[in-house]
Amino acid sequence: MTALLTRFVATTRPSLARHMTMRVVANCGNDYNKSFGRSIHSSSSVNNTKAKYGGRFMVTLLPGDGIGPEMMKYVKKVFKAGGFPVDFEEVNLDSTHEDFENMFEAITSIKRNGAALKGNIETREHSKHFLSRNVELRLRLNLFANVIHCESQTGIQTRHKDIDIFLIRQNTEGEYSCLEHESVDGVVESLKIITRQRTEQISRYAFEFAKKNNRKKVTCVHKANIMKLADGLFLKICTDMAKEYPEIEYNNMIIDNCSMQLVSNPNQFDVLLLPNLYGNILTNLVCGLVGGPGITSGRNYGQTYAVFETGTRNTGKSVAGKNIANPLAMFNASADLLEYLELHSYAQMLREAIDKCINEAKVHTPDINGNNTTSDVVDFLLNEVIQKTKH
């Protein structure tokens, strides 16, 4: 009802609409989460939910679109071969259904299980009423932090060597607040929302992450020279937060300069602290620097739930069913999931198999200049896992 009223006022009194929208935005996080029985807390502490039955974890599986379904089949195959104590509850959340029923089923499943492994879901541009399922999941579960580790692999030839960068992205507001309207015919207003609460949350998360993981430097990325209020607030809060962590070096960099610096001298960066849209762009850029979308995983964390996926959020639609897609990004996401479930020995087993596949045996798919198939990579991982479980 609020959304309908705001949309009506937007067409008649734009200035009033802006005031109403800001009031809606101030409570949008709570509205999203209260509708599913959970309110938002600003603390960076996490109280993880993990469903476990008879010594086995239950995890929600969202195959998604494109190569997602085939990747999930491979993950289940390796998990079974290695005796990993994880079972999957599969929910077919994809772009072919515009009704809310599938989304509600996915949300309910993740809340019950506490964690999900997810393929990317296509957002169809031609349907203005079809909201991004990927964004909806992050908003409704308050997955406020997206964490991606981009690290050079010795077995993959790239222009730059020894890259080791964490990107920590605010995941629920900014340009992805899903608040836009056509105020008059031919004039669209899209609202970028930056709030103190959520910026403090993500900045504290980033500095705590750096502290716990022995990272030396945090760089805040912004465009405060132009967006003086929105990005200015983000920059100010991050700068103030840095004062609480004097042991960690801190600097800030404008997004366009940061983009240039990443492609010319990426080794200067350690942890990047990013608003939502800039995080999306630079994540794809840095993944490209270390070998492309086929190897890097992405982690989405909230106060209670976590969703694991590939680092770059694309479906791989053009290579679906051709047996050439690189499955290692999804397997790295699976290893992230195992670590989240505190199944550390299984996570290590899988990571060692991935490392050997990339850097020693060099079983490479075409995206990283190899001639191997998807099946070749999966068979290699299967063999490694089976061999390790024999000992």
Side-chain angles (χ1 to χ4, degrees):
M1 186 66 186
T2 302
L4 290 173
L5 180 59
T6 303
R7 193 171 296 169
F8 170 74
V9 175
T11 63
T12 56
R13 295 182 62 189
S15 62
L16 177 58
R18 283 191 288 271
H19 174 70
M20 288 178 58
T21 305
M22 292 307 294
R23 294 190 63 183
V24 171
V25 169
N27 295 299
C28 69
N30 287 326
D31 288 343
Y32 267 123
N33 288 273
K34 284 179 181 176
S35 65
F36 288 91
R38 182 162 298 279
S39 61
I40 293 173
H41 306 283
S42 60
S43 170
S44 61
S45 63
V46 175
N47 180 24
N48 299 326
T49 298
K50 297 168 186 173
K52 193 173 185 180
Y53 309 97
R56 297 180 65 84
F57 289 94
M58 180 64 74
V59 171
T60 302
L61 191 73
L62 306 174
D65 292 310
I67 62 173
E70 56 194 90
M71 295 300 108
M72 296 307 183
K73 287 193 294 185
Y74 295 134
V75 168
K76 289 193 286 187
K77 190 174 183 179
V78 170
F79 272 40
K80 183 177 180 181
F84 297 180
V86 177
D87 295 311
F88 293 105
E89 179 184 4
E90 187 167 329
V91 179
N92 291 315
L93 182 67
D94 56 35
S95 65
T96 62
H97 302 92
E98 291 197 15
D99 59 89
F100 189 73
E101 189 173 324
N102 293 88
M103 175 59 71
F104 183 79
E105 184 183 356
I107 294 291
T108 302
S109 175
I110 296 171
K111 287 198 166 188
R112 179 169 54 245
N113 298 325
L117 185 65
K118 171 184 167 293
N120 201 52
I121 302 165
E122 181 182 358
T123 300
R124 290 176 290 140
E125 297 176 5
H126 67 271
S127 177
K128 65 173 66 176
H129 303 296
F130 185 81
L131 298 177
S132 168
R133 297 301 196 217
N134 307 295
V135 173
E136 277 198 277
L137 277 175
R138 301 198 292 271
L139 291 175
R140 294 185 182 279
L141 294 170
N142 186 27
L143 302 173
F144 67 89
N146 176 245
V147 180
I148 293 180
H149 186 200
C150 292
E151 186 175 18
S152 296
Q153 304 294 322
T154 57
I156 300 176
Q157 289 295 114
T158 56
R159 182 179 297 273
H160 298 285
K161 307 298 180 186
D162 302 319
I163 295 173
D164 185 4
I165 302 173
F166 274 97
L167 298 96
I168 298 180
R169 166 188 175 186
Q170 206 294 324
N171 216 18
T172 57
E173 55 179 21
E175 293 85 352
Y176 289 72
S177 299
C178 299
L179 292 167
E180 56 181 11
H181 57 264
E182 189 171 25
S183 52
V184 296
D185 187 34
V187 179
V188 173
E189 294 179 309
S190 182
L191 301 179
K192 171 177 179 171
I193 308 303
I194 301 290
T195 64
R196 175 174 294 277
Q197 178 194 30
R198 296 199 177 202
T199 304
E200 287 179 345
Q201 183 184 49
I202 193 64
S203 59
R204 185 170 298 281
Y205 182 94
F207 281 99
E208 285 292 328
F209 179 93
K211 182 178 178 180
K212 292 175 182 176
N213 291 278
N214 198 32
R215 311 299 290 200
K216 305 302 183 184
K217 180 180 177 182
V218 172
T219 301
C220 171
V221 182
H222 63 92
K223 190 66 176 174
N225 59 324
I226 302 299
M227 285 168 273
K228 298 181 186 297
L229 293 180
D231 282 31
L233 178 61
F234 189 89
L235 174 60
K236 182 182 185 303
I237 291 171
C238 293
T239 303
D240 289 345
M241 188 66 68
K243 296 172 184 176
E244 299 184 27
Y245 299 86
E247 71 276 21
I248 298 172
E249 182 184 350
Y250 169 77
N251 70 334
N252 71 81
M253 194 172 289
I254 294 172
I255 175 65
D256 34 342
N257 182 34
C258 185
S259 300
M260 181 181 67
Q261 294 293 329
L262 277 168
V263 298
S264 59
N265 181 23
N267 303 97
Q268 67 184 285
F269 297 106
D270 190 356
V271 175
L272 294 178
L273 172 54
L274 302 138
N276 208 336
L277 178 61
Y278 308 155
N280 184 24
I281 295 168
L282 293 191
T283 289
N284 282 268
L285 189 156
V286 184
C287 284
L289 293 178
V290 298
I295 58 174
T296 308
S297 60
R299 299 170 252 171
N300 301 282
Y301 296 119
Q303 298 289 7
T304 310
Y305 314 110
V307 174
F308 302 91
E309 60 184 350
T310 58
T312 60
R313 292 162 175 168
N314 55 61
T315 61
K317 191 174 181 179
S318 63
V319 295
K322 296 181 180 180
N323 199 27
I324 58 173
N326 193 337
L328 292 179
M330 190 58 73
F331 277 108
N332 271 317
S334 303
D336 294 339
L337 168 68
L338 293 169
E339 288 177 350
Y340 179 77
L341 298 175
E342 299 181 349
L343 296 171
H344 300 298
S345 62
Y346 294 101
Q348 182 179 354
M349 181 192 306
L350 184 54
R351 289 208 192 280
E352 287 176 355
I354 294 169
D355 178 72
K356 188 173 181 180
C357 179
I358 296 175
N359 299 316
E360 294 182 31
K362 296 185 179 180
V363 183
H364 291 176
T365 44
D367 61 300
I368 49 177
N369 298 318
N371 297 311
N372 295 104
T373 64
T374 309
S375 300
D376 292 335
V377 176
V378 175
D379 288 343
F380 183 89
L381 297 180
L382 275 170
N383 183 64
E384 286 296 307
V385 167
I386 290 170
Q387 291 299 317
K388 288 181 183 296
T389 55
K390 287 181 178 179
H391 299 299

